Amino acid sequence: MIKGGFVKKYLRIDEVAQMFDVTPRTVRNWWLSGSTCLQAWHPGGAIGAKGLRFTAESVQQFEQHGMQQPQDVDENC
């Protein structure tokens, strides 16, 4: 994920939602399902708190596998 000439390691939940043309609530539900590649990260370690971010690598895997719904996940994540 490249933005402004540098590689981003983490994406905000609203950025992920925009990538998939869904709401942040949908992205949060995908993550909470535990059935996707999405890996959350928060600078203070308080995952699920305001400012939830996802690793760019996990978002890329999610996108490459075309997993728009948690039930579509395969075991290669």
Side-chain angles (χ1 to χ4, degrees):
M1 306 290 164
I2 299 176
K3 183 170 181 146
F6 64 94
V7 177
K8 290 182 79 171
K9 291 184 179 181
Y10 308 102
L11 299 169
R12 293 186 325 261
I13 192 169
D14 61 314
E15 292 174 316
V16 177
Q18 186 177 21
M19 287 177 65
F20 293 102
D21 196 27
V22 297
T23 65
R25 177 177 280 188
T26 298
V27 175
R28 184 178 298 273
N29 288 339
W30 285 341
W31 171 65
L32 288 173
S33 76
S35 299
T36 67
C37 298
L38 295 174
Q39 294 179 355
W41 176 86
H42 190 275
I47 292 177
K50 185 176 180 181
L52 179 64
R53 296 173 187 254
F54 296 94
T55 63
E57 182 180 348
S58 72
V59 173
Q60 186 177 20
Q61 287 177 346
F62 186 79
E63 184 176 35
Q64 287 175 346
H65 290 99
M67 292 175 287
Q68 292 291 318
Q69 299 296 323
Q71 65 268 20
D72 296 336
V73 71
D74 66 20
E75 298 183 5
N76 294 324
C77 288

